[in-house]
């Protein structure tokens, strides 16, 4: 069991982290100012101008709009973000609209990634290979970027 400490500051541009702890369940529409971390269960909509992380025990079912989203737990629904990172053990089953999407080799993505109509997709991958040799040359991590 950990202790959560929050420092109080008179600086107006500092923000706290909103935490949904393991064992807690929230539902509804949420707008968040500052970072958010989810280790519990959330159902509904989350709108944030900052970063959201879903921990290993976290589960989100609904839609998320954020600057950056890091998933180590489970996410189902719709995602709109600048960057989506699916880490080891993370499972995303969603329709995703993101500029950058990276998936750890032990991460899972099942769904559709949509791009802006005027964007072109650049895949960062190893040099071209053919046939069975291509499987042996797969990178440890795949990153997809959108060029404007």
């Amino acid at each position: 069991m950990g202790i959560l400490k929050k420092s109080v500051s008179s600086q107006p541009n500092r923000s706290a982290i909103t935490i949904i702890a393991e064992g807690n369940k929230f539902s509804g529409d949420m707008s968040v100012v500052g970072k958010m971390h989810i280790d519990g269960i959330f159902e509904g909509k989350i709108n944030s101008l900052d970063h959201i992380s879903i921990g290993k025990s976290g589960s989100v079912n609904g839609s998320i709009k954020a600057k950056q989203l890091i998933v180590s737990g489970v996410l189902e629904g719709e995602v709109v973000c600048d960057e989506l990172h699916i880490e080891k053990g993370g499972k995303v089953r969603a329709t995703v609209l993101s500029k950058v999407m990276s998936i750890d080799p032990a991460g899972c993505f099942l769904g559709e990634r949509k791009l802006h109509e005027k964007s072109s997709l650049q895949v960062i991958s190893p040099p071209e290979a053919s046939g069975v040799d291509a499987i042996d040359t797969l990178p440890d991590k795949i990153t997809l970027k959108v060029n404007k």
Side-chain angles (χ1 to χ4, degrees):
M1 182 166 110
I3 298 173
L4 175 64
K5 293 184 179 180
K6 179 182 170 187
S7 61
V8 178
S9 173
S10 62
Q11 296 176 354
N13 62 352
R14 294 186 66 145
S15 64
I17 297 176
T18 301
I19 298 174
I20 297 177
E22 187 173 357
N24 290 308
K25 181 177 180 180
F26 286 83
S27 63
D29 294 348
M30 182 181 295
S31 292
V32 178
V33 176
K35 296 179 181 181
M36 181 176 194
H37 181 77
I38 302 168
D39 270 325
I41 298 172
F42 183 88
E43 295 178 358
K45 293 181 181 180
I46 302 174
N47 188 4
S48 173
L49 297 175
D50 211 325
H51 305 314
I52 296 176
S53 60
I54 301 172
K56 291 182 181 189
S57 62
S59 175
V60 174
N61 189 340
S63 63
I64 294 182
K65 183 175 182 181
K67 184 174 183 178
Q68 182 184 43
L69 181 60
I70 299 170
V71 181
S72 298
V74 177
L75 170 61
E76 297 178 331
E78 297 178 357
V79 176
V80 176
C81 61
D82 289 341
E83 297 179 37
L84 171 62
H85 303 284
I86 304 171
E87 297 189 334
K88 178 180 177 182
K91 295 176 179 82
V92 175
R93 291 182 288 274
T95 301
V96 175
L97 177 63
S98 69
K99 294 178 184 175
V100 176
M101 181 173 166
S102 62
I103 306 169
D104 186 273
C108 176
F109 174 70
L110 178 62
E112 178 182 12
R113 179 172 180 226
K114 295 182 177 182
L115 301 172
H116 299 284
E117 289 182 15
K118 295 183 180 181
S119 300
S120 63
L121 177 66
Q122 174 189 2
V123 178
I124 301 172
S125 61
E128 289 189 31
S130 62
V132 177
D133 294 334
I135 294 172
D136 293 333
T137 62
L138 289 175
D140 289 338
K141 188 174 189 179
I142 298 171
T143 302
L144 304 173
K145 293 189 178 188
V146 174
N147 292 331
K148 292 184 178 181

